[in-house]
Amino acid sequence: MQLITNIKNIREELRSFRYNGKTIGFVPTMGCLHQGHLQLVEAAKKQSDVVVVSIFVNPKQFCEGEDYEIYPRTLEADMKLLEDFGGVDYIFAPTVEDMWPEDNETLVMVPSLSSILIGITRPGHFEGVTRVVAKLFNIVQPTKAFFGEKDFQQLTIIRRMVKDLDIDVEVVGVPIYREEDGVAASSRNVFLSPEDRIAARVLNQSLLMVEKAFKEGEKDSQKLKQIGISKIESEPRAKIETFEILDAMSLQEVKGTITKNIVILLSVEVGSVRLLDQLSLEC
Ligand code: AMP
């Protein structure tokens, strides 16, 4: 496992693999790695000859007043976790100066998908994500790139960016990983107090209630939404930012009877921590 901290070196390292026809699997992360990230790494290892994990806390995707300064940076522990998981070929952990020199100004945006849902509460966030992922794709030039379905809107936006810009990479979505209490693994879980951690279970509980009702035949989106929202509102520590039932392809709201595959997107503030969750349901 090799740690590489600048763009030039990772390019040089990867060039010969590509030349020799090896497939490169890429897992972009912001570090503070956990079991959720390891699901992506596992998929990458199974499907690629060479695996690159990037660790970069990207300032461009944090909005004013968000937690950029205090976002956990745990490179040594991350490397140990990956090592214990059988290792990867490269950890690419560039500096902010290398990624974003002062004269860097080119934007990459998917406006319609980035301005809805989480884009409303986090203006500019997805523009920062597409900008950094486009740049990382150009640096690593992976065969396949692995993203979590937990961040479903992000995954949809990346797929769209790849399609629109004809980037030669296959985007692979990896199912959400949950801890034993049902809470989706997240780097931000470290900020939850013990009480908030218990309260955070309500996200998954509400999704399970919606899933049960759906499987028992309830297809009215408003009724399903009400079931889910009531459950979350029963938890005083939780404040809903987004609870939407959406067409899984277009992310447009599904009104009335559900006739297509849907995704339920959840963004809930528990204490002062924003938690995301997601459930896909096939019609
Ligand atoms: P982050 O470090 O939070 O930017 O996440 C890096 C990647 O890991 C993203 O593609 C996330 O969607 C994915 N990820 C984070 N948490 C989970 C989880 N609990 N299950 C699956 N994937 C996850």
Side-chain angles (χ1 to χ4, degrees):
M1 216 164 65
Q2 217 176 314
L3 172 66
I4 297 197
T5 55
N6 76 66
I7 295 171
K8 188 169 154 284
N9 291 358
I10 190 84
R11 275 188 189 286
E12 272 166 18
E13 286 287 336
L14 294 176
R15 196 167 289 134
S16 65
F17 291 112
R18 221 173 288 112
Y19 184 76
N20 289 312
K22 303 279 185 216
T23 57
I24 298 172
F26 180 42
V27 181
T29 82
M30 296 208 299
C32 192
L33 300 183
H34 50 65
Q35 291 299 320
H37 296 113
L38 294 184
Q39 304 300 302
L40 275 59
V41 172
E42 190 177 4
K45 284 168 80 156
K46 278 195 185 133
Q47 299 182 39
S48 333
D49 299 321
V50 179
V51 174
V52 181
V53 173
S54 69
I55 295 180
F56 179 61
V57 183
N58 172 34
K60 305 261 183 239
Q61 69 189 72
F62 288 77
C63 312
E64 280 279 307
E66 286 191 347
D67 54 356
Y68 174 67
E69 300 298 337
I70 58 162
Y71 195 88
R73 288 152 171 92
T74 56
L75 185 59
E76 260 180 45
D78 292 347
M79 290 183 60
K80 167 100 177 51
L81 191 74
L82 288 171
E83 196 78 71
D84 292 347
F85 196 62
V88 295
D89 298 283
Y90 296 100
I91 297 168
F92 175 49
T95 61
V96 173
E97 294 71 30
D98 203 16
M99 286 293 281
W100 303 124
E102 269 185 16
D103 60 352
N104 183 301
E105 64 168 352
T106 302
L107 304 178
V108 182
M109 286 187 281
V110 184
S112 63
L113 291 172
S114 300
S115 56
I116 56 173
L117 304 162
I118 290 163
I120 297 171
T121 38
R122 304 190 71 188
H125 165 66
F126 288 118
E127 288 80 352
V129 171
T130 39
R131 199 170 163 192
V132 78
V133 172
K135 185 156 171 126
L136 289 168
F137 280 177
N138 277 329
I139 295 165
V140 175
Q141 297 179 41
T143 319
K144 293 187 183 189
F146 298 81
F147 291 85
E149 288 176 359
K150 177 169 86 76
D151 301 279
F152 196 86
Q153 188 174 358
Q154 168 174 285
L155 174 61
T156 308
I157 291 170
I158 301 290
R159 286 192 198 283
R160 182 64 183 270
M161 174 186 83
V162 163
K163 177 174 171 285
D164 285 357
L165 296 180
D166 286 306
I167 300 176
D168 191 13
V169 59
E170 182 184 333
V171 175
V172 181
V174 178
I176 205 160
Y177 176 86
R178 299 180 182 284
E179 309 281 359
E180 267 173 30
D181 58 2
V183 176
S186 164
S187 306
R188 289 192 168 92
N189 289 351
V190 297
F191 296 133
L192 292 168
S193 68
E195 296 78 16
D196 289 341
R197 174 74 199 206
I198 292 170
R201 295 177 188 173
V202 78
L203 278 78
N204 184 41
Q205 288 165 353
S206 109
L207 292 175
L208 289 175
M209 285 175 75
V210 175
E211 183 175 34
K212 184 167 178 289
F214 182 82
K215 290 197 168 151
E216 286 172 359
E218 182 57 79
K219 295 282 148 65
D220 184 282
S221 66
Q222 280 314 110
K223 287 194 184 140
L224 289 170
K225 199 168 165 177
Q226 207 38 57
I227 291 170
I229 288 178
S230 311
K231 177 65 187 168
I232 293 174
E233 285 179 345
S234 71
E235 171 49 66
R237 289 175 178 272
K239 191 170 142 263
I240 299 176
E241 282 184 345
T242 309
F243 190 116
E244 295 295 342
I245 299 186
L246 308 164
D247 180 307
M249 297 302 289
S250 66
L251 296 189
Q252 291 303 304
E253 188 184 351
V254 175
K255 293 188 181 135
T257 308
I258 295 166
T259 55
K260 290 185 191 162
N261 293 348
I262 55 163
V263 60
I264 303 171
L265 289 199
L266 256 182
S267 166
V268 177
E269 229 177 58
V270 178
S272 58
V273 187
R274 178 184 287 117
L275 299 177
L276 305 185
D277 212 324
Q278 166 268 351
L279 172 71
S280 299
L281 292 173
E282 285 183 17
C283 206

